[in-house]
């Protein structure tokens, strides 16, 4: 099985925050899970660097646009190493490779592109026009900012031509949207019949020339969403001299897009329609995570409550951050607080999981067995059932639920050690059960805590279904 796994690409108009690292980490966990299953994976992210928003942000800070964008790109790319993210590609939409792919795609859609005049209200923050009926108070419904009125000549894409086909693909689950509430939401939008053709360019003068120029028309730059969505193809080499990755992972693979709930319409309506026009396969899966509030408040610079990835690293090891974020609900809004983070860190990661691993290695170090037969496991059925429950939740992208179910095994093994006083035992079945439980926990938590689990696994040895007790020492991953 071939899997193409992507995150949305964040705008680089500002520094990374908790929402960005959350999406990166849950997608990374899924990519690592698939690799551990022996499946081929290409995992991609990147930065969205075009659009009027970039120009405005740089101007507000008195900066050169390119220098500002380069600086912010560096901040986002640095998260790869800081949080051990296994990206195979991190694309920039200002790169030449991306531009070539965008032009090829534009040509494939040329029969569905025409010129016209757009008159409406524009939100720079979400780079979208709004009809008066959509924002009667002239305030962006997402960003709560005043809309700007524009009238200009643009290129348009015949979006309406493909809406029925997009609706059918979603209804038949050929494009699966998770959770089902978001599928229903998109189908309702499509059934309302209010969607119009999409303006896919912007006046170059208004955009200060920042963006990808429309082919053979320097008076226009390509609309940032039309160009940004194409990163999913250009990152695989689409439009280059070597399209082998595009052929392997897009055309012959299964696509998984991880995105936030505020950009579902772009991914579930605009994107499939664009692909249908270009006669390219549509994505099979769109996984929509919800939003994070900070101690009951919306994250805001004005409130001074923005949490950056570095804020976490200043207080905790990066694997603690991965652990915490994976244990939060993906398909509902959730609230972050430092108190809650510390409760999960101290109570679950340290007290339950890390302490169990320490206890098991401590018991094995004192055991007189040099080999432990793994077939003598009296919790086999329970371990299998817990693993099955974990797998079922994981396949539904309910990562928090999956890991909460795996904690049943952690607690069960801790209880078993206490109840049977295994540190005093000379019964091989006790040790077989303990080691089987340990190996299952390592299997479950490797996508989440890859560095620590790999360090442990490197020290372990099994042969002919026997665990070789090398009496190793485990160094905890917390400080």
């Amino acid at each position: 099985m071939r899997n193409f796994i992507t995150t949305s690409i964040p705008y680089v108009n500002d520094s990374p925050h908790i929402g960005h690292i959350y999406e990166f980490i849950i997608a990374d966990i899924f990519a690592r899970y698939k690799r551990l299953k022996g499946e081929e994976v290409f995992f991609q992210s990147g930065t969205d660097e075009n659009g009027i928003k970039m120009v405005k942000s740089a101007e507000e800070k008195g900066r050169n646009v390119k220098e500002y964008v380069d600086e912010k790109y560096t901040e986002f790319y640095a998260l790869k190493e800081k949080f051990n993210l296994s990206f195979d590609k991190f694309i920039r939409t200002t790169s030449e490779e991306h531009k070539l792919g965008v032009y090829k795609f534009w040509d494939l859609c040329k029969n569905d592109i025409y010129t016209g005049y757009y008159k409406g209200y524009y939100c720079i923050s979400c780079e979208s026009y709004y009809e008066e009926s959509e924002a009667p108070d002239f305030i962006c419904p997402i960003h709560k900012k005043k809309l700007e009125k524009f009238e200009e000549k643009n290129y348009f894409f015949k979006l309406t031509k493909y809406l029925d086909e997009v609706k059918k693909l979603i209804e038949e689950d050929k494009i699966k949207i998770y959770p089902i509430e978001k599928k229903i939401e998109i189908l309702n939008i499509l059934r309302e019949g209010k969607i119009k053709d999409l303006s896919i360019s912007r006046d170059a003068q208004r955009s200060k020339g920042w963006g990808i120029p429309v082919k053979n028309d320097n008076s226009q730059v390509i609309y940032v969403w039309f160009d940004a969505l194409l990163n999913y193809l250009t990152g695989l080499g689409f439009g280059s001299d070597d399209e082998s990755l595009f052929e392997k992972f897009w055309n012959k693979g299964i696509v998984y897009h991880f995105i936030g709930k505020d950009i579902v319409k772009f991914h579930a309506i605009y994107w499939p329609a664009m692909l249908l026009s270009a006669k390219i396969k549509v994505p099979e899966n769109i996984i929509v995570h919800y939003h994070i509030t900070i101690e009951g408040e919306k994250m805001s610079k004005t409130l001074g409550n923005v949490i950056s990835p570095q804020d976490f690293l200043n207080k905790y090891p990066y694997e603690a951050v991965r652990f915490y974020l994976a244990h939060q609900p993906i398909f509902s809004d959730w609230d972050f607080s430092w108190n809650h983070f510390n409760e999960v860190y101290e109570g679950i990661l340290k007290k339950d999981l890390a302490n169990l691993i320490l206890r098991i290695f401590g018991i094995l170090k004192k055991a007189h067995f040099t080999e432990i037969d793994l077939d003598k496991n009296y919790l086999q059925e329970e371990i299998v059932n817990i693993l099955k429950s974990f797998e079922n939740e994981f396949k539904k992208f309910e990562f928090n639920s999956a890991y909460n179910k795996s904690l049943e095994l952690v607690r069960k093994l801790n209880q078993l050690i206490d109840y049977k006083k295994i540190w005093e035992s000379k019964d091989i079945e006790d040790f077989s059960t303990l080691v089987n439980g340990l190996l299952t926990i390592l299997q479950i938590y490797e996508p989440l805590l890859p560095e620590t689990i790999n360090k442990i696994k490197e020290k372990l040895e099994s042969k002919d279904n026997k665990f070789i007790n090398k009496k190793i020492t485990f160094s905890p991953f917390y400080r």
Side-chain angles (χ1 to χ4, degrees):
M1 185 75 73
R2 292 169 177 166
N3 305 277
F4 181 46
I5 300 167
T6 72
T7 72
S8 60
I9 53 171
Y11 280 125
V12 291
N13 63 309
D14 214 331
S15 297
H17 57 65
I18 183 175
H20 298 122
I21 197 60
Y22 174 70
E23 183 172 302
F24 286 177
I25 285 173
I26 59 172
D28 181 69
I29 290 167
F30 185 68
R32 290 177 181 276
Y33 169 83
K34 284 288 190 180
R35 291 190 192 106
L36 288 169
K37 292 288 182 185
E39 299 180 24
E40 287 188 84
V41 169
F42 195 90
F43 179 32
Q44 179 176 306
S45 187
T47 43
D48 186 355
E49 303 179 1
N50 293 315
I52 299 170
K53 189 194 293 191
M54 305 306 164
V55 177
K56 292 278 187 183
S57 296
E59 285 179 343
E60 285 169 5
K61 294 173 176 63
R63 301 286 302 279
N64 170 276
V65 182
K66 185 179 185 310
E67 289 176 1
Y68 181 74
V69 166
D70 286 347
E71 177 186 295
K72 294 303 169 187
Y73 154 77
T74 302
E75 289 181 26
F76 278 94
Y77 185 68
L79 299 177
K80 181 179 191 292
E81 183 176 347
K82 289 180 178 181
F83 290 90
N84 198 4
L85 302 167
S86 60
F87 298 133
D88 296 296
K89 178 74 175 183
F90 199 86
I91 187 149
R92 302 183 67 178
T93 59
T94 53
S95 64
E96 189 64 24
E97 62 176 327
H98 180 69
K99 181 179 175 181
L100 291 172
V102 169
Y103 282 152
K104 177 175 179 176
F105 193 91
W106 183 282
D107 287 342
L108 291 174
C109 297
K110 64 184 178 183
N111 292 333
D112 291 321
I113 296 173
Y114 63 94
T115 55
Y117 281 87
Y118 198 99
K119 181 179 180 181
Y121 296 88
Y122 195 73
C123 174
I124 290 175
S125 292
C126 54
E127 300 275 11
S128 291
Y129 280 116
Y130 285 94
E131 297 290 324
E132 196 168 334
S133 59
E134 295 175 296
D137 54 358
F138 308 117
I139 299 295
C140 172
I142 295 173
H143 294 95
K144 311 302 179 188
K145 295 179 179 179
K146 188 175 180 181
L147 299 174
E148 298 183 38
K149 189 174 182 179
F150 285 115
E151 181 177 356
E152 63 183 27
K153 177 185 174 184
N154 288 158
Y155 288 85
F156 286 78
F157 170 67
K158 293 179 183 177
L159 178 62
T160 52
K161 177 179 174 181
Y162 297 98
L163 294 181
D164 286 343
E165 193 171 351
V166 170
K167 179 163 71 72
K168 186 179 178 184
L169 287 167
I170 295 170
E171 287 172 336
E172 295 176 352
D173 276 341
K174 290 179 180 173
I175 299 174
K176 294 180 181 177
I177 302 174
Y178 302 84
I180 193 168
E181 291 83 2
K182 287 299 166 186
K183 172 183 176 179
I184 293 168
E185 178 185 305
I186 290 298
L187 287 174
N188 285 339
I189 291 171
L190 288 165
R191 288 163 184 160
E192 283 174 356
K194 294 181 179 179
I195 297 176
K196 298 181 179 181
D197 285 349
L198 180 65
S199 168
I200 58 168
S201 72
R202 299 291 182 263
D203 182 81
Q205 188 173 354
R206 182 161 67 89
S207 302
K208 308 288 179 73
W210 186 258
I212 299 175
V214 170
K215 214 171 180 180
N216 303 318
D217 186 354
N218 288 332
S219 73
Q220 298 279 302
V221 294
I222 295 172
Y223 172 44
V224 63
W225 267 108
F226 191 87
D227 113 58
L229 287 164
L230 294 173
N231 91 88
Y232 300 128
L233 306 185
T234 60
L236 292 170
F238 177 82
S240 72
D241 293 334
D242 181 5
E243 293 190 344
S244 57
L245 287 174
F246 167 70
E247 182 65 26
K248 181 178 181 179
F249 286 100
W250 188 277
N251 286 338
K252 295 180 180 177
I254 305 296
V255 177
Y256 299 88
H257 290 321
F258 284 83
I259 64 168
K261 71 175 185 177
D262 53 339
I263 56 173
V264 184
K265 185 169 73 172
F266 298 98
H267 284 79
I269 299 177
Y270 299 175
W271 180 222
M274 290 162 57
L275 291 165
L276 289 169
S277 173
K279 295 180 172 53
I280 295 173
K281 179 175 78 75
V282 297
E284 289 82 2
N285 303 280
I286 301 173
I287 303 97
V288 185
H289 67 81
Y290 280 46
H291 287 172
I292 306 167
T293 54
I294 309 297
E295 297 188 351
E297 299 279 356
K298 185 177 179 181
M299 191 161 52
S300 154
K301 278 188 172 180
T302 306
L303 294 174
N305 65 353
V306 176
I307 305 292
S308 76
Q310 192 58 46
D311 290 334
F312 285 117
L313 299 180
N314 290 341
K315 298 182 178 185
Y316 297 96
Y318 82 88
E319 286 192 318
V321 183
R322 291 176 64 98
F323 187 90
Y324 173 79
L325 293 177
H327 283 78
Q328 306 314 308
I330 183 171
F331 296 140
S332 63
D333 292 343
W334 58 275
D335 190 58
F336 171 83
S337 72
W338 287 111
N339 284 340
H340 184 235
F341 188 106
N342 203 56
E343 285 171 9
V344 173
Y345 176 59
E346 295 288 346
I348 301 176
L349 179 55
K350 288 173 67 173
K351 184 180 176 184
D352 290 342
L353 180 60
N355 185 54
L356 172 66
I357 298 173
L358 281 169
R359 293 183 80 189
I360 291 174
F361 282 121
I363 290 167
L364 290 174
K365 201 167 187 179
K366 294 176 181 177
H368 67 277
F369 300 108
T370 55
E371 291 186 352
I372 298 170
D373 189 341
L374 294 175
D375 286 331
K376 299 183 181 297
N377 173 16
Y378 51 71
L379 285 183
Q380 178 68 20
E381 186 176 345
E382 291 177 74
I383 289 174
V384 167
N385 287 338
I386 288 172
L387 190 56
K388 193 178 293 183
S389 294
F390 172 83
E391 295 277 353
N392 288 339
E393 294 301 309
F394 212 95
K395 288 173 184 174
K396 294 185 293 184
F397 308 102
E398 297 269 11
F399 306 128
N400 60 307
S401 179
Y403 281 109
N404 284 333
K405 286 185 182 298
S406 72
L407 289 171
E408 293 176 27
L409 179 57
V410 173
R411 291 170 183 137
K412 191 173 287 293
L413 291 172
N414 268 318
Q415 290 165 3
L416 177 69
I417 291 170
D418 292 335
Y419 177 73
K420 297 207 73 174
K421 297 183 179 179
I422 294 182
W423 60 88
E424 296 176 354
S425 176
K426 292 182 171 51
D427 186 345
I428 191 66
E429 290 186 354
D430 287 337
F431 289 90
S432 177
T433 302
L434 209 55
V435 171
N436 272 286
L438 171 67
L439 295 177
T440 304
I441 285 168
L442 297 181
Q443 175 187 340
I444 287 172
Y445 281 96
E446 186 172 349
L448 183 49
L449 305 168
E451 182 180 354
T452 294
I453 301 301
N454 278 314
K455 283 179 180 177
I456 294 172
K457 287 176 68 176
E458 285 171 3
K459 298 179 179 181
L460 303 183
E461 183 181 346
S462 296
K463 186 177 180 182
D464 300 328
N465 211 36
K466 293 184 186 296
F467 177 80
I468 312 303
N469 186 11
K470 298 164 75 173
K471 302 189 176 185
I472 68 171
T473 299
F474 167 59
S475 299
F477 39 79
Y478 55 80
R479 35 178 197 228

